Amino acid sequence: MTAARTVTVVGASLAGLHAARGLRSQGYDGRLVVVGEEHHRPYDRPPLSKEFLTGDGDPGGGLGPLALTDPEEEAELDAEWLLGVRAEALDTTAGEIRLTGGRPLRTDGVVIATGATPRTLPLPPLDGVHTLRTLDDALRLRAELRAGAERAVVIGAGFIGAEVASSCAALGLDVTVVEAAPLPLVPQLGKQMAQVCAGLHARGGAALLCGTGVAGLRGTGRVTGVELTDGRVLPADVVVVGVGVRPVTGWLEGSGLALDDGVRCDEGCVTALPNVVAVGDVARLAQPGTGRTVRAEHWTSGMLQGDVAARNLLAGSTVAPFDALPYFWSDQYGARIQYAGRRESGDTVRILEGDPADGGGFLAVYERDGISTAALGVDRPRPFMRLRRELARAPQPAGR
């Protein structure tokens, strides 16, 4: 790959941008093309469900504080930006990407960074019903929240749903969060800590309804209510569906790449073809020694994978694994939740600081066989970051 004349990054995302930066910083001086389906340069997504909804700043024709690049860096990257263009197919035999309208793009190397798209529910297409993934999604939702909406129903109590609900509550709306599971975030945090974090909804003035699904919507032209499977009807001026995402891989069907809820890669983001790597939400990486694969939908993973993938792409083989400790955070109802590590079912929880029962901040560690496996902090940023660094240095239990 060192003699590659053209490398194409498909996805003008955080992960795609960091892969492009990695390519240049490691000496690649050939043609670099960045293909993005949106019309925007790379921007920061986490604020979209939080301060962007509640704040007054409007990027207008630009991206404002959301921008991840500036003109000086873009000049240094020396990339061709093909924005508002969708990749429709990858022909690995011919070394071509087919773009919108059938336009071919010849390339020697490919970075797949197409991310994910919101999952949807079989609901009628009514005005006032939103998903939130892109800047344009956030602009539409923010406009409605500020146009006199009084009641919001958020479907899904994962991190995006909880953050949107928090923002709606901060804007003074009457907010109800509907979660089909008996308790939200159990796979990520375990039952004990998920129960604690679920209490943030009540603390922030939102109602959380668990163990019930959505049967349908009320309204003609515009949504007026949400019908639940238990027979209740929740009045609503705005509905936000936050039931997870699915990786964008449809354009890769027939490419010969292994697709399994993402693009299957080895531990270094490399696919079965050494000149094709994947990063970010779309990448499903092998975990050596476990027989498992994992797809991480976290900002930090997307950022850090880019440099590793670029190194391996240029080397033509996997010379560096991606072994960063998983980390994510969420801001809800004035509280910051931080998590790092690899918790598994059966791990025990020990509180190091604070008391979750009093509704304040705390620091907890997950343990197995006497070894710390993960950490959870609520409003404990400094001690949490110290514990995160310790976890990154510590050995993990066998088979993890």
Side-chain angles (χ1 to χ4, degrees), residues 189 193 197 337-340 362-366 374-378 384 387:
L189 305 180
M193 293 294 98
C197 290
I337 301 170
Q338 293 172 285
Y339 173 94
F362 66 91
L363 181 66
V365 63
Y366 297 84
L376 173 67
V378 175
F384 174 86
L387 185 54

Side-chain angles (χ1 to χ4, degrees), residues 7-33:
V7 174
T8 302
V9 179
V10 185
S13 58
L14 171 82
L17 173 63
H18 278 269
R21 288 173 174 169
L23 287 164
R24 289 303 194 209
S25 68
Q26 293 169 45
Y28 176 68
D29 60 1
R31 182 189 182 204
L32 178 60
V33 182

Side-chain angles (χ1 to χ4, degrees), residues 46 50-51 200 203 327-339 361-362 376-381 384-385:
K50 300 185 279 287
E51 58 264 34
L200 293 173
R203 191 177 92 177
Y327 167 71
F328 61 82
W329 78 93
S330 179
D331 295 321
Q332 305 172 19
Y333 306 105
R336 166 151 288 200
I337 301 170
Q338 293 172 285
Y339 173 94
F362 66 91
L376 173 67
V378 175
D379 289 337
R380 287 291 191 274
F384 174 86
M385 295 308 289

